[in-house]
Every structure is written in C-alpha cells, then in structure tokens.
Amino acid sequence: MSLGLPGHLARDSLSRALAFAGHCAAFACLAIMIVVSIIVATVGDQPAGWTGAALATVMALAFGAVALFPSVTLTVLALVVGTGVTIAFTMLVMEPGGFESTNNALLALPRIALLLVGGAGSGSLIAIVWASLGYALGEAAAFLGVALVGGAYAPSTAAAAAFGILLVVRIFDGVSRRSDPRQETGLHRASQQTRELAIRHDYELRATARLHDTALSHLIAIAAAGSGTVDDRLRAGIRQDLGLIVGRDWAIDHAGQATASDRGGLRRAAAVDESAPNGAAGKGRFGRRGVVGGATRSRTVPVPAEPRPDGATMLAQAFAAAANAGLDVRVTGDPDILHVLGPGRAEALDAAVAQCLINVARHAGVDEAELALGLGGGEVTIAVMDSGVGFDEREVPDDRIGLRTSIRARIDQQDGTVRLWSTKGIGTTIVLTVPEGGA
Amino acid sequence: MMRLTQQEADPIGGITAAPIVVIGAALAVGSAVALTWVHRGEVVSPLAAIIAILLVAAAGVVAAISAAPSRAPFTAERLWIVVTLAVGAAIAEYTSTVGANRYLYDDFGPVVIGMLILSVAPYCTWVSLALAGVLASIVLSILVVGASSYVAADAPVGALVAVNAAPVVALSAAAAGYAHAIIAETLGWQREANRAALQRDTELRAGIARSVQQSRVSVLGREVLPFLAGVMTAERISVAEADRARELAEELRRALRAGLESTWLDDLATSLRLARGIETFVDDPSGAADLLADDQRSALTALITWLAEPSRSERVGVSLRTDLDGGRIVISAVPAERPPAKRDLDRFIAVARAVSLGAESVSTRENVRVELRYVID
C-alpha cells in the first residue's frame, strides 16, 4: 500500500478533481435553473418557464459532454451553447416589470455555470483562462440579452463571487504545489524503501536459517570430534548436504513463501532451536547420519549441552516450542509416563514432539494441536494431531529437515517408529512410538 | 471510498490544503460583513446582525483550527460544528432582518455556509459534505418560507426556496465533487502503484537474492562451505580445524540470532548510518517493528529518513516498547545546526495520524522527540 499522491501526479489529479468540483457546482446551478423554471411554469402558471427549463437542459447536455470528454472543441462548443442559453434566458427573465437589473439570483445561475465550464487541459493557468472566458461570455450574454428586451444591465455579484472563489482555489492550488512538501516528505520513496528493507531482511534471514540448518550440525560435529581421522559418516553427511548447498541458490529457495507472517513463524521456530541447543538442528543431523551410516546407536550425541536432569518436567521442549509458536496444545494422557524412558530417549522423543508442533504451527495453518500420550505393550506412544491443511508426504521436499530428520531420524535412532497420516484439507496425525527404557 | 477523506488517503494533500481553510474562513467572514453592510437598510435588530457575523467568525475559526496539521485528523464532528455555527449565523441573520427582508439575494447565510463547506472539503467524506449541504439547505428553506411573505419578488415560494438554496447546493456540490474525485484519483493511483510495487518486489527479490551474496550471511556461507568441503575431502581433522569449526558454528548461531532479533528497522538504521554518517540507533527488544502495517512503516521510515539528515540532526534514536494492546515508538533526535522546524514535523505527525498512529511531538533546543502510539487489533 502506498500513501497519498506522489508529487508528479498531484498536479494533474488535483486539477481534475477541481474541474470535477466545478462541474458539480455547474450542474447544481443548472439543476436549480430547471427546478425554478418548472415551478414558475406550473405553480406560477407562466409557460415561459418551460422554455427556461429546456434551455437549461440544453446547456447541461453541452456541459456533460465537456465533463466526459474535455477537448478544446467541446469546451468551445459548450461555451457557445452556454452563451446562447444565457442570452435567451436573460431575455426570458428580464421581462418588463420583473427584476430591476441583470444582477439577480436567477440570472446568476447560467453565468456561474458558464464560468465553471472547466475545459480541456490541466493546471491552474489554463483553468483560469477557461473560467475567465466563461465569466466574460456570461456577462456579455446578459448584457446582450437585456439589451434585446430592454432593461438595466448590471454585472452579477454572485457570478463575480463564484469567479473569485475559483480564482482563489486555482491560484492557491498552483502556488501551494511550488513548495512541494510531497517531495520533501518523501512518503512514496519511503514506501518503496520500506518494502525493499523488509524483503531484504527476509532474504537475509532465510539465507542465514538455511545455512544454519544445513551446516551447523556438521560444524558442531567437527568441533566435537576434535583432531583425528575424519569419520566416514561425517564425511558422508557433509557430502550429502554440501551437494544440497552448493547445487542450489539457497538464498532464493522457497522464495514463493516469503510473506510477513512466514517471517514471524521463522522467528519463533528458530528461536526454539536457539533456546534448545540440544535440539532440532544439532541432533537432527546426527540422527540422519545414524541412518546413513547405520549401526551407530551406541554412539553418544557429542553436542555439549546442559544435560537435562532426570525427572525434569516431561516434554518441556515440546511445550516451550508450542508456547513460542503461539500454539494451543490440548494434552490427553499423563506426560509423566515418559519416566519409563531413559533420559536420552525421553529427550529425543521430546525434541521430536517439539518439531511436530513447530511443523503444525508453521504449515498446518491452525493454532491448536492435540497431544495424546500413552504407555502400553512396553512402548510409549505419542500422537500429535492437528486439523490443519494437511499435506502429501511425497511432496515435501527432501531438504525439509523437520519431518525427515528432526522427527523420523530421532525416533529411528531410539528404535522407535514414526507413522504419519495426512490428508489434504483434513489434517495430519503423527504417531511416535519408542520402546521403554533406553539410554 | 465513501468513508475516506482526502486527508486520510493523501495526508500531505490534507496538510497542503490547510491554508485554504483559513482563506475560505476569512472570505466567509468578509462576505458576511460586506453583505450585512449592503443590506443594512433591512436590519431591524443590529444585535442579531452582530451575533450573525460573530457566529460566522466562530465557524471560520473552528474550521481553520480543526484543519491545522497539528490537529489532524479532522473528525466528522468538526464538520458538524462548523456547519451548525454557520447555520446558526444564517438564522441570526434572518432574525436581524425579520419582517424587512426585501431581497433574499443579498443575504449572506447561504453563501457563507457553502463557502465553509467547500473550504473543509479536503477533510471530509463526500457523503458528509453532501449531507451537510442538504441539511443546511433544508434549514435555509424554512427560513425562506418565513421570509417569503414580505420579499419584493413576486414568485412562487418554491422558486424562492430553490434560488435561495442555490449557493449552498452549488458550493456543497462542488465540495462533495472535489472530495469524491480526489479520493478516486488517489485510490486509482494507489492501485496502480501497488501493482507496480508488486512487480518491483518480484524484481527486487531476484536482485536481492543476488545482492544477499554480499551480505554477512553470504560471507559466512562462503567461509563455511569451503571449510566443510575441505574437511570432507581431508584425511584428518587438525586441532586448528576443530577450533575453526567451533568458531564458525558460533558465528552462524550469532548471525541467525542477530537476524532474528533485528527487523527491517535495524536495517534502515544501518543503511542511514552508512549512507549519511548519522548515528542512528534502534532499540527494539521485542521486534515490534515487524508488527507495524505497511503504511505505518512508510510513515516511520519517512520521518526517520527525514530526521537523519546531517544538517538536521546529529543523532537519531528510535525506541519501541510494546504493552498489552499496542506499543509506543519514541523517536528522539539531537538537532544539528538547522534543527527540524515544527511546521515540517507537523507534516509527519499528520501523516502518522493518517495511518492510525497516535502522534505527538515535543521540540526543545536540545532534543526533538516524536512519540507514536499504535494499537494492535
């Protein structure tokens, strides 16, 4: 949305608006002429009123043409017609025994209309030229008309006042644009700049987030591994992601999704990553490498993080993620059942659930989700359900690490299973199951 | 469109038009005095005549004050106060010449009401202007019916009513026409501009995608990628490489955190700092700048950009604080040798108010402070 009119358009726009205002006033005058004429013809029982109404109608038609097609020819034509009508109307009104002079309210009407003809071209000067012409013609017509029937001519005070108002408005308009506060305020420029800043910021953030998602875990792994031979799995993981990063223009990836709300989502979701250094980005990668390399379950997660003390509030990460993402979570079942799991497994499950909730907040288009927890058959099962937009898992791009790695890999690593049902338009249900015990 | 005024759609136009209200008000008072003098022979109650002129003056003063940029936006009530005072003046004038009013043509009531309505056209919706004209005409018509028994003209009352209302009808038609046309012009342009802006956004995205390569994250990316590639193809990781990995990871985290915690407003400050050498600070702990609507952002950007001019300010600080239902933006600038004039600031204040930001400014020799408040729906 842009604010106001830019300086270069203000002149023409204001000019057109003022001309339109003039036309409205002119039509009001002509309408009153018609009304008065009809009243005089009917109530006053003077048939000449019909002639007056007809004359005013003709003039209104000519003016309508100018209002619609402001060309020089039509303007001149309207002036000629208007002058003729004014002469005839003056002859009608200035019957002997009527008004003392041509300076009266009735004869002011066609003359005011005539000076408000507007006309071709835009800008104050040309408008003043047309108005002056109309004013002069109106007075001349009154003079001529009254000379033909005999009576006293006097310039119309009302028409002069109307001409004065028009001059004041047009001159003011012309002068006030000189100082050009529009240029000075720079609103239009500011609007462009703001958009550009927002887009740029959005891109930077996306680029950073993508780099963060793709590279951070490898960097942490390298740092944690310290000096020594390069682990094959690390190598394979980097190779896989490097292909992803190098092979594409990661800055414009997902550009189509760039919206303000999306940015907000990113802000909140990534804040979760930050607040849980043990969470999504870091561990997700290791999870995947575990899958790629296979048989790595004995390997401990080398991310240096504050260990979650045993017996801490269960599903803390998940609830924090939901709160951060503004998601309402309804829970059925007791989160304490997670005590049957080892701390590492409980945490992996927690992180996976957190990622599920983040996905709901990001993609499902709803602001509530349901969490069902259960313990039975030697397994802990958590279902995350939403009635959001749903998706087709095959359509989720490979590089979207949320579902594939942050969720699936984490649970796989704990010998668990992830089952997912999603229907577009109906919602998504993810069931995470891990065996009791574990590290 | 029926609910929009020029002041709202084109705030700068509203500010530019402020003097015309003063001129219109002055002309209205002038007309009232002149016409009262012209028909002084008909005046039977000089007191009523004086009251009539005073009411016109009051209406003019209310109109002029209400339209001042520092009092933007011009609310609908203000129009009704002006019109009521002007109609009151017409009634007082009627009283002043009651029983002796030979000519309606020299009564100032209709023309003064019309002129005042026309003067405030940039600040009112066309509907309210037209309505004001119609209502004023109705009151005037009642007066004319009262006066018709002793006017000199021998015409049907209906004709007298119509002719007498002509100035109000014509001038308020002009006012409504102007308000309608200028809004149509402005909105038409805005549609066009928005279309162009969307088009430009697309081009910008492409352009920025390339230029992001110059940014901090790209520089970081360019360090990270070869590093990872190096590790991938290397036999061993050295201690230095492990340290480097830790450093890069830290940098990456920091970059993401900085990106998340900053907003477009920080970027604006950075660009002003770099381009103009003005110390520009943003203090926005909750990222409130992202909550502002596009127009509000434009207004804020325009104000900050205007303030952060080396001749105008030495330092510009912007602080955003949110509370439960909205927030407060305080922009404070330390004036330089050519301090921001109150008049110019008022322009921005009016623009801010047009985009539903509550705005106040306080200027002293040491400090220019503008406070904007917004409400989150």
Side-chain angles (χ1 to χ4, degrees):
Chain A
M1 181 76 177
S2 306
L3 214 50
L5 280 168
H8 64 282
L9 287 180
R11 176 176 175 272
D12 286 355
S13 293
L14 282 167
S15 204
R16 276 195 296 270
L18 290 174
F20 184 74
H23 286 145
C24 287
F27 284 121
C29 288
L30 294 173
I32 286 169
M33 255 173 94
I34 294 173
V35 168
V36 171
S37 298
I38 292 175
I39 291 175
V40 167
T42 52
V43 182
D45 209 15
Q46 294 178 41
W50 295 117
T51 319
L55 287 170
T57 310
V58 169
M59 191 166 168
L61 288 175
F63 273 54
V66 179
L68 288 176
F69 313 103
S71 70
V72 176
T73 319
L74 280 176
T75 311
V76 171
L77 185 72
L79 284 172
V80 170
V81 170
T83 309
V85 166
T86 309
I87 294 173
F89 197 69
T90 309
M91 291 166 69
L92 277 181
V93 171
M94 294 303 291
E95 281 175 340
F99 289 102
E100 290 162 17
S101 77
T102 56
N103 181 17
N104 62 58
L106 207 49
L107 283 182
L109 294 172
R111 286 192 264 181
I112 291 173
L114 202 52
L115 71 90
L116 293 173
V117 66
S122 94
S124 298
L125 195 63
I126 195 146
I128 288 172
V129 168
W130 285 123
S132 308
L133 201 58
Y135 177 62
L137 284 172
E139 290 306 317
F143 183 79
L144 190 61
V146 82
L148 287 174
V149 291
Y153 164 79
S156 168
T157 321
F163 185 52
I165 292 174
L166 184 137
L167 285 181
V168 167
V169 170
R170 285 294 189 172
I171 290 172
F172 177 81
D173 178 46
V175 170
S176 69
R177 271 199 318 268
R178 288 262 167 83
S179 60
D180 207 359
R182 293 172 192 278
Q183 198 64 35
E184 181 75 0
T185 312
L187 261 187
H188 184 48
R189 200 172 52 237
S191 155
Q192 290 180 359
Q193 195 183 2
T194 320
R195 288 181 90 103
E196 189 183 324
L197 284 170
I199 295 174
R200 188 177 291 275
H201 191 262
D202 185 44
Y203 269 90
E204 292 254 6
L205 196 52
R206 268 164 204 286
T208 314
R210 280 196 65 79
L211 184 61
H212 183 272
D213 279 1
T214 332
L216 187 68
S217 57
H218 298 306
L219 291 172
I220 291 172
I222 295 166
S227 64
T229 49
V230 180
D231 187 283
D232 278 345
R233 290 180 301 276
L234 179 61
R235 211 191 288 279
I238 293 176
R239 178 175 293 126
Q240 192 171 10
D241 282 347
L242 219 54
L244 269 181
I245 304 171
V246 176
R248 73 173 69 210
D249 188 352
W250 43 270
I252 57 166
D253 199 31
H254 300 310
Q257 301 170 1
T259 61
S261 62
D262 216 23
R263 262 206 325 281
L266 191 59
R267 169 190 281 270
R268 288 191 293 270
V272 173
D273 283 358
E274 283 295 294
S275 66
N278 210 8
K283 268 177 61 179
R285 286 295 141 174
F286 288 99
R288 179 196 277 196
R289 244 196 1 269
V291 174
V292 171
T296 59
R297 275 159 209 144
S298 59
R299 187 187 165 132
T300 49
V301 175
V303 178
E306 309 82 21
R308 212 167 270 272
D310 233 0
T313 320
M314 288 300 158
L315 293 178
Q317 277 190 58
F319 291 133
N324 274 319
L327 199 65
D328 278 339
V329 182
R330 271 178 304 163
V331 184
T332 44
D334 183 5
D336 276 350
I337 56 173
L338 265 67
H339 279 303
V340 303
L341 304 176
R345 183 163 290 178
E347 204 195 322
L349 189 58
D350 187 3
V353 172
Q355 188 62 47
C356 290
L357 293 173
I358 288 169
N359 280 353
V360 172
R362 274 189 197 167
H363 307 297
V366 290
D367 56 10
E368 58 175 15
E370 217 169 303
L371 212 59
L373 300 97
L375 171 66
E379 288 183 326
V380 172
T381 302
I382 299 186
V384 184
M385 292 165 277
D386 71 75
S387 45
V389 294
F391 62 93
D392 185 345
E393 201 189 355
R394 285 163 305 181
E395 286 173 24
V396 177
D398 278 345
D399 55 327
R400 189 99 127 241
I401 63 165
L403 178 65
R404 294 244 158 71
T405 57
S406 296
I407 302 172
R408 235 180 241 295
R410 269 197 187 94
I411 301 300
D412 283 353
Q413 201 177 24
Q414 302 295 334
D415 290 333
T417 56
V418 177
R419 280 166 296 170
L420 181 144
W421 296 269
S422 184
T423 311
K424 278 192 179 172
I426 293 184
T428 305
T429 300
I430 302 176
V431 176
L432 312 170
T433 309
V434 291
E436 283 180 24
Chain B
M1 171 149 182
M2 284 169 62
R3 296 168 182 277
L4 220 51
T5 69
Q6 184 190 2
Q7 189 179 46
E8 287 158 357
D10 179 25
I12 302 290
I15 296 159
T16 317
I20 197 76
V21 183
V22 178
I23 296 172
L27 286 177
V29 176
S31 308
V33 172
L35 286 171
T36 305
W37 180 254
V38 167
H39 71 202
R40 62 189 180 282
E42 299 172 353
V43 172
V44 291
S45 163
L47 178 66
I50 289 169
I51 290 174
I53 291 174
L54 288 179
L55 282 171
V56 173
V61 168
V62 170
I65 290 177
S66 309
S70 55
R71 281 172 218 276
F74 190 102
T75 50
E77 301 88 72
R78 299 186 191 172
L79 169 69
W80 295 113
I81 294 174
V82 171
V83 171
T84 308
L85 286 170
V87 169
I91 296 172
E93 188 201 21
Y94 168 78
T95 317
S96 75
T97 60
V98 70
N101 197 4
R102 281 178 48 75
Y103 300 104
L104 295 175
Y105 185 50
D106 59 11
D107 288 358
F108 67 73
V111 71
V112 160
I113 297 172
M115 281 167 77
L116 287 168
I117 291 178
L118 182 61
S119 302
V120 297
Y123 305 95
C124 303
T125 63
W126 72 268
V127 177
S128 59
L129 291 164
L131 200 62
V134 169
L135 293 180
S137 306
I138 291 173
V139 176
L140 288 174
S141 301
I142 296 169
L143 296 183
V144 171
V145 172
S148 62
S149 50
Y150 39 81
V151 295
D154 173 30
V157 177
L160 284 180
V161 166
V163 170
N164 185 65
V168 180
V169 171
L171 286 165
S172 52
Y178 173 79
H180 184 277
I182 196 69
I183 289 292
E185 291 276 348
T186 307
L187 293 186
W189 179 78
Q190 286 177 356
R191 268 192 298 277
E192 204 52 50
N194 288 341
R195 221 187 333 265
L198 286 178
Q199 173 78 33
R200 202 177 43 241
D201 280 2
T202 319
E203 288 158 18
L204 260 176
R205 283 181 197 282
I208 288 169
R210 280 188 296 277
S211 70
V212 161
Q213 307 294 335
Q214 309 306 318
S215 70
R216 184 177 168 189
V217 56
S218 332
V219 172
L220 195 50
R222 277 205 290 276
E223 285 181 54
V224 168
L225 298 187
F227 175 77
L228 287 179
V231 170
M232 187 177 75
T233 48
E235 192 64 37
R236 295 176 59 82
I237 300 173
S238 67
V239 177
E241 276 172 331
D243 290 346
R244 180 74 184 130
R246 195 169 296 116
E247 267 172 41
L248 285 172
E250 260 324 296
E251 269 184 60
L252 202 47
R253 276 186 201 283
R254 265 202 302 277
L256 184 61
R257 189 184 292 271
L260 288 167
E261 282 173 0
S262 71
T263 64
W264 60 273
L265 194 55
D266 296 279
D267 294 354
L268 173 67
T270 310
S271 82
L272 287 174
R273 211 157 40 224
L274 294 178
R276 301 194 182 163
I278 303 261
E279 290 181 71
T280 313
F281 298 103
V282 173
D283 173 25
D284 181 13
S286 59
D290 275 342
L291 298 177
L292 298 175
D294 280 358
D295 278 352
Q296 296 175 327
R297 293 183 190 193
S298 304
L300 186 58
T301 303
L303 172 57
I304 295 171
T305 310
W306 181 79
L307 276 175
E309 187 71 52
S311 59
R312 222 165 264 140
S313 312
E314 282 172 357
R315 223 166 72 92
V316 179
V318 186
S319 118
L320 291 89
R321 290 287 177 274
T322 49
D323 47 44
L324 281 178
D325 50 354
R328 222 153 47 93
I329 306 169
V330 177
I331 301 131
S332 56
V334 178
E337 77 264 21
R338 205 158 57 81
K342 171 114 175 63
R343 251 184 67 127
D344 293 327
L345 262 181
D346 279 347
R347 202 165 62 219
F348 289 95
I349 299 279
V351 171
R353 288 182 183 166
V355 295
S356 28
L357 287 168
E360 298 295 338
S361 76
V362 184
S363 301
T364 61
R365 199 182 292 274
E366 293 80 31
N367 193 22
V368 175
R369 186 184 145 96
V370 180
E371 188 174 319
L372 307 171
R373 284 179 314 284
Y374 59 91
V375 176
I376 299 166
D377 315 315

